[in-house]
Amino acid sequence: MAYDIDMIKKVYSQMADRVNKARKVVGKPLTLSEKILYSHLWDGDASKGFTRGKDYVDFAPDRIACQDATAQMALLQFMQAGKKNVAVPTTVHCDHLIQAKKGAAIDLATANKSSHEVFDFLESVSDKYGIGFWKPGAGIIHQVVLENYAFPGGMMIGTDSHTVNAGGLGMVAIGVGGADAVDVMAGMAWELKFPKLIGVKLTGKLSGWTAPKDVILKVAGILTVKGGTGAIVEYFGEGARSMSCTGKGTICNMGAEVGATTSTFGYDDSMERYLKATDRADVAEAANEIREHLTGDDEVYASPEKYFDEVIEIDLSELKPHLNGPFTPDLATPISEMAKKAKENDWPIKVDWGLIGSCTNSSYEDLTRAASIAKQAVDKKIIAKSDLGINPGSETIRFTAERDGLLQIFEDLNATIFTNACGPCIGQWDRSDRKGDERNTIVHSFNRNFSKRADGNPNTHAFVGSPEMVAAIAISGRLDFDPTRDKLLNEDGVEVMLDEPAGIELPPKGFDVKDPGYLAPSKDGNAIEIKVAKDSERLQLLEPFEPWDGKNLSGVKLLIKAFGKCTTDHISMAGPWLRFRGHLDNISNNMLIGAINAFNKKTNLVKNQITGEYDAVPAVQRAYKAAGIPTIVVGDHNYGEGSSREHAAMEPRFLGVRVVLVKSFARIHETNLKKQGMLGITFANEKDYDLILEDDTFNFVDLESFAPDKPLNMEVVHADGSKDLIKANHTYNESQIEWFKQGSALNLIKMHSVA
Ligand code: MIC
Ligand code: SF4
């Protein structure tokens, strides 16, 4: 039986009525995304149609998921909100804080020791406030959610950008910062700008070496890392129906890499099969009763160009396997062209590691497809040339894969089976084969491949591919290996080829598990006391941020003008810093240390305008803070791309940065800045970015009359006394301006809780 089945039944009992009313007010057939959005309005039934990309709308999500690295800050904030219990079903998943080194058994025991303070904190807060808790080793948040909580037609938010994975089971599931989750946990509405809609029509059928991963690698190549910003990507067509539910999850998961708000698929037989296989026949039955409302209207899919803002068509029968990278997930190269492109770009050809796993590709089907390649290598006497590491997605998948002999196949190829956790995907990888910053190549089935992400080395060239392609390339040890064409030399000196992969969608003997790793919360957790040691270096209770004094900000010094890509990994690095995610002061020591200073092209070296000397970014910012000088960060396009981590907004806020002025923002980061009481604004004229010099001081002219849809003007004073007047746009609405005024959104919730 499914968790929270009563909640799901309630959603379904209202769905038909709400969808029909929405269709009436919108006045035309509806996409699936619209059906889910309009049936989750905070105000209940739809009374008017919304303008996509413009109207801010209040929603009522059905559930929330948090992972350990973001839950700490989310729950520290929730503890301040003055509530007894979370208002909607919520879960916490321990998956980010487990390092991959020797293999699951040793690594998990090490993590349980080294991070016990954080795990204990999360467990007791969950217990107190009625939150379901998934222990370390239970699995990666998004696989566990897909297996247990996701349901067609539902709406979920999660404090992780890959929450969108649940679109594989027909949800609208959206990644948010912790402060957004706190709103919903506290029983309030969740606000989102009504998204635009991109339709992706899938025709044909996948075959041979081409996998669901290649669909999203291709889409990423088309849309680029910001092409999906502000939009929901809805997939449909015979090709969509022919794919497994977990394959759909893979596609939705990596929608985060094109900046999409989320991605989704209509309810179909593959989802029904998956629900039944994961012990949720009750959800499948309930969904079957309202099947027509859990997918887009026929008219929409028949003439998509009339109903979507943009339509992309992909013929799966023609689609070729891809590898994307290095350093960005949208640099798509068909395998057949890799040899040429790698040579042209001087990418290291030798592959050191193949890594299979992460929330995007760690399903049972993924493991079977990769194992079908690994088994051939063993049978055909080929020794794998690269190291191979596997992170199963959940304990249920691991247990079942072990029972069915899949793990043994990988082990026969000398692979290391790491914990059911994020591991190398988030830099939780003690890579023993290379130290320092040597140039090298790895291939993985993860979703992100930003510089330094997996192992901290800026010269590790990471390429993203399907699990079976990763297995094949790891076996060959070469980036330019094309398994559809190239032969390999085996131990007997005979040339052999790898046959096409073969996968099994769902385990024929069913899933099985001994201990899934779940702890239900106490019925009444009121008496539970949460202890945070004063001298803890991992956890720190939060102090409210100061409200705005209502005056124009002036004398604002430039802290850094960031050059080029500045993702949340550059603003608040993960890996070794994950250990400080519950301690704002300590984690602030990583603020912007990965951003490239536009003036010297170096990382973590900026000019302190007080002394004229160069120092690390956090050190310089702490000096400004001590001197009571406000500062500004300037950036390029898609600033804050990647993670949902609100630390990237809280650290600057905590250290006294007041403004972030960029060419454009990634959605979650922009909201995170607003929530924490920062001023996140964009150049009205992009070229003004070039006017900003190293010794600049900014004076706002009209912040005192800060209002929706009204640009802000500022004077930029250069070192030689000359001035430029520049204009900035913003997207703050009335209530968001209130967050800025009060110092943060949380300050506002607290005011209401006390009242
Ligand atoms: C990621 O993949 O970057 C993470 C780590 O899962 C983040 C969340 C975090 O920073 O904790 C995400 O994607 O939101
Ligand atoms: Fe974990 Fe990687 Fe997925 Fe983020 S992308 S949730 S780090 S597995």
Side-chain angles (χ1 to χ4, degrees):
M1 197 180 84
Y3 292 94
D4 308 304
I5 185 72
D6 293 342
M7 176 271 283
I8 297 174
K9 286 193 169 152
K10 180 156 174 258
V11 172
Y12 284 179
S13 70
Q14 301 166 338
M15 193 106 186
D17 200 31
R18 289 193 167 178
V19 167
N20 290 332
K21 285 195 174 124
R23 199 181 288 109
K24 236 185 232 146
V25 294
V26 173
K28 54 181 181 179
L30 297 178
T31 60
L32 167 65
S33 311
E34 288 166 304
K35 290 184 185 180
I36 301 178
L37 294 170
Y38 279 104
S39 60
H40 285 84
L41 297 177
W42 178 254
D43 292 331
D45 292 344
S47 55
K48 63 168 192 144
F50 297 106
T51 311
R52 298 176 191 168
K54 184 154 188 290
D55 288 342
Y56 280 100
V57 180
D58 280 346
F59 291 101
D62 302 315
R63 59 177 318 122
I64 301 172
C66 306
Q67 42 86 343
D68 50 1
T70 50
Q72 298 171 60
M73 209 42 98
L75 295 178
L76 283 164
Q77 292 177 80
F78 181 68
M79 284 163 65
Q80 289 199 11
K83 304 283 170 187
K84 261 178 107 178
N85 258 310
V86 287
V88 304
T90 301
T91 49
V92 164
H93 304 258
C94 297
D95 54 359
H96 282 62
L97 298 176
I98 305 159
Q99 199 180 45
K101 185 174 184 185
K102 296 242 158 78
I106 300 177
D107 296 350
L108 183 58
T110 309
N112 271 324
K113 233 192 252 151
S114 60
S115 286
H116 79 94
E117 182 185 2
V118 171
F119 295 145
D120 290 353
F121 168 77
L122 293 174
E123 188 181 321
S124 57
V125 178
S126 299
D127 199 12
K128 181 173 176 75
Y129 294 108
I131 298 171
F133 181 75
W134 290 81
K135 294 189 277 189
I140 308 175
I141 173 169
H142 311 301
Q143 277 296 326
V144 175
V145 165
L146 198 70
E147 260 167 40
N148 295 280
Y149 298 114
F151 65 99
M155 180 187 251
M156 174 171 90
I157 57 169
T159 60
D160 188 284
S161 62
H162 293 106
T163 303
V164 293
N165 189 70
L169 200 36
M171 282 196 119
V172 160
I174 301 180
V176 297
D180 274 38
V182 169
D183 285 351
V184 181
M185 287 179 196
M188 292 163 32
W190 174 65
E191 187 191 66
L192 178 75
K193 195 184 271 177
F194 203 87
K196 293 200 171 226
L197 300 176
I198 300 177
V200 181
K201 181 173 181 180
L202 300 176
T203 60
K205 199 168 185 291
L206 293 171
S207 64
W209 283 90
T210 313
K213 184 78 158 191
D214 298 303
V215 175
I216 187 63
L217 294 181
K218 173 85 185 169
V219 169
I222 297 171
L223 285 176
T224 79
V225 288
K226 57 182 201 308
T229 307
I232 296 187
V233 184
E234 182 169 326
Y235 293 84
F236 59 93
E238 41 154 353
R241 288 189 299 274
S242 69
M243 264 183 295
S244 67
C245 174
T246 51
K248 292 180 172 81
T250 297
I251 294 173
C252 293
N253 182 302
M254 267 192 79
E257 273 53 67
V258 298
T261 303
T262 191
S263 307
T264 193
F265 283 81
Y267 182 55
D268 65 10
D269 295 348
S270 73
M271 297 187 192
E272 182 177 346
R273 288 195 296 276
Y274 185 72
L275 283 169
K276 288 184 172 156
T278 50
D279 203 17
R280 288 174 290 169
D282 47 356
V283 179
E285 257 162 48
N288 286 342
E289 279 174 29
I290 56 158
R291 223 177 160 101
E292 66 190 284
H293 302 300
L294 300 175
T295 188
D297 286 341
D298 291 342
E299 297 90 325
V300 169
Y301 294 157
S303 327
E305 51 307 320
K306 280 202 214 149
Y307 302 94
F308 291 98
D309 299 291
E310 185 182 342
V311 178
I312 296 172
E313 193 169 327
I314 297 177
D315 181 355
L316 300 185
S317 310
E318 298 282 310
L319 185 66
K320 298 279 178 273
H322 281 66
L323 272 187
N324 285 22
F327 308 123
T328 184
D330 57 353
L331 185 53
T333 306
I335 280 290
S336 55
E337 291 166 29
M338 185 49 100
K340 189 165 155 266
K341 210 157 153 188
K343 208 162 167 209
E344 278 166 13
N345 290 284
D346 191 28
W347 295 329
I349 297 294
K350 177 178 174 294
V351 173
D352 287 5
W353 274 88
L355 297 159
I356 294 173
S358 102
C359 55
T360 174
N361 269 116
S362 51
S363 67
Y364 185 84
E365 185 183 35
D366 286 328
L367 293 186
T368 58
R369 284 180 69 88
S372 76
I373 301 301
K375 179 145 187 351
Q376 290 181 51
V378 177
D379 292 349
K380 295 181 184 178
K381 297 198 189 160
I382 313 170
I383 297 175
K385 304 287 184 309
S386 317
D387 287 320
L388 194 61
I390 319 269
N391 286 85
S394 72
E395 175 57 12
T396 301
I397 292 168
R398 192 209 64 77
F399 190 95
T400 310
E402 180 169 57
R403 179 200 68 190
D404 295 351
L406 298 175
L407 297 188
Q408 190 58 51
I409 295 175
F410 293 119
E411 278 164 345
D412 290 344
L413 209 62
N414 284 326
T416 313
I417 311 296
F418 295 126
T419 319
N420 317 315
C422 305
C425 180
I426 192 56
Q428 288 283 30
W429 187 24
D430 188 344
R431 189 177 168 181
S432 43
D433 62 325
R434 274 184 198 271
K435 299 281 174 214
D437 58 1
E438 297 160 305
R439 276 164 58 82
N440 74 105
T441 291
I442 62 174
V443 290
H444 60 57
S445 70
F446 309 161
N447 35 34
R448 296 203 168 130
N449 55 351
F450 303 139
S451 162
K452 294 191 186 179
R453 181 165 167 107
D455 60 2
N457 175 354
N459 296 319
T460 292
H461 293 55
F463 292 83
V464 182
S466 69
E468 50 271 40
M469 189 54 71
V470 169
I473 290 184
I475 289 163
S476 76
R478 294 183 63 91
L479 182 64
D480 57 2
F481 176 67
D482 177 354
T484 66
R485 199 185 51 198
D486 299 339
K487 299 197 171 82
L488 293 167
L489 215 52
N490 78 359
E491 273 179 87
D492 301 335
V494 180
E495 282 196 328
V496 290
M497 274 194 77
L498 295 171
D499 303 329
E500 289 173 354
I504 305 172
E505 180 180 320
L506 293 160
K509 287 188 266 169
F511 282 110
D512 199 4
V513 66
K514 225 199 219 129
D515 173 12
Y518 176 69
L519 284 183
S522 303
K523 283 237 153 49
D524 179 5
N526 216 1
I528 297 168
E529 220 190 303
I530 311 295
K531 288 191 208 105
V532 171
K534 275 223 154 41
D535 58 351
S536 167
E537 61 155 13
R538 307 272 314 253
L539 295 166
Q540 181 188 43
L541 294 174
L542 292 172
E543 297 288 340
F545 296 131
E546 288 281 309
W548 176 47
D549 63 7
K551 299 203 187 103
N552 275 326
L553 292 170
S554 61
V556 182
K557 299 280 179 205
L558 178 76
L559 172 65
I560 182 172
K561 173 167 155 178
F563 172 79
K565 212 174 182 59
C566 192
T567 72
T568 41
D569 280 356
H570 299 86
I571 307 170
S572 174
M573 196 190 173
W577 291 90
L578 282 176
R579 56 186 278 103
F580 298 122
R581 284 286 185 88
H583 197 295
L584 187 51
D585 196 3
N586 285 345
I587 195 145
S588 294
N589 290 329
N590 79 358
M591 188 189 71
L592 285 159
I593 61 175
I596 298 172
N597 178 353
F599 303 110
N600 59 14
K601 302 289 185 299
K602 296 207 163 110
T603 52
N604 206 18
L605 198 68
V606 293
K607 187 167 183 181
N608 175 337
Q609 291 195 44
I610 312 173
T611 61
E613 278 166 16
Y614 285 82
D615 203 345
V617 187
V620 171
Q621 181 53 38
R622 282 189 193 270
Y624 287 129
K625 184 181 186 181
I629 298 172
T631 58
I632 180 169
V633 168
V634 169
D636 211 311
H637 273 300
N638 212 21
Y639 182 89
E641 157 189 0
S643 161
S644 68
R645 64 190 76 143
E646 62 199 323
H647 305 75
M650 292 179 91
E651 295 173 24
R653 179 75 175 99
F654 175 73
L655 291 183
V657 179
R658 295 299 287 123
V659 190
V660 180
L661 168 64
V662 298
K663 291 186 189 169
S664 64
F665 282 110
R667 175 188 61 89
I668 308 179
H669 186 62
E670 184 178 18
T671 309
N672 285 344
L673 287 170
K674 291 178 179 175
K675 286 253 154 173
Q676 301 300 339
M678 295 275 291
L679 199 55
I681 51 183
T682 52
F683 288 103
N685 176 4
E686 266 179 30
K687 290 224 162 60
D688 287 352
Y689 172 91
D690 301 327
L691 296 177
I692 311 302
L693 303 176
E694 199 171 21
D695 295 288
D696 283 353
T697 305
F698 293 66
N699 299 316
F700 281 76
V701 177
D702 49 9
L703 186 63
E704 281 172 6
S705 53
F706 191 15
D709 300 320
K710 185 172 165 284
L712 292 167
N713 293 288
M714 65 202 101
E715 173 189 81
V716 185
V717 186
H718 307 298
D720 63 1
S722 64
K723 287 177 188 169
D724 281 301
L725 256 188
I726 66 171
K727 193 189 282 279
N729 293 330
H730 72 82
T731 60
Y732 288 72
N733 60 22
E734 290 285 358
S735 50
Q736 295 171 339
I737 290 179
E738 213 40 47
W739 303 341
F740 176 72
K741 288 187 175 160
Q742 295 307 327
S744 72
L746 186 59
N747 285 354
L748 210 64
I749 301 187
K750 276 168 56 182
M751 276 165 58
H752 293 307
S753 292
V754 177

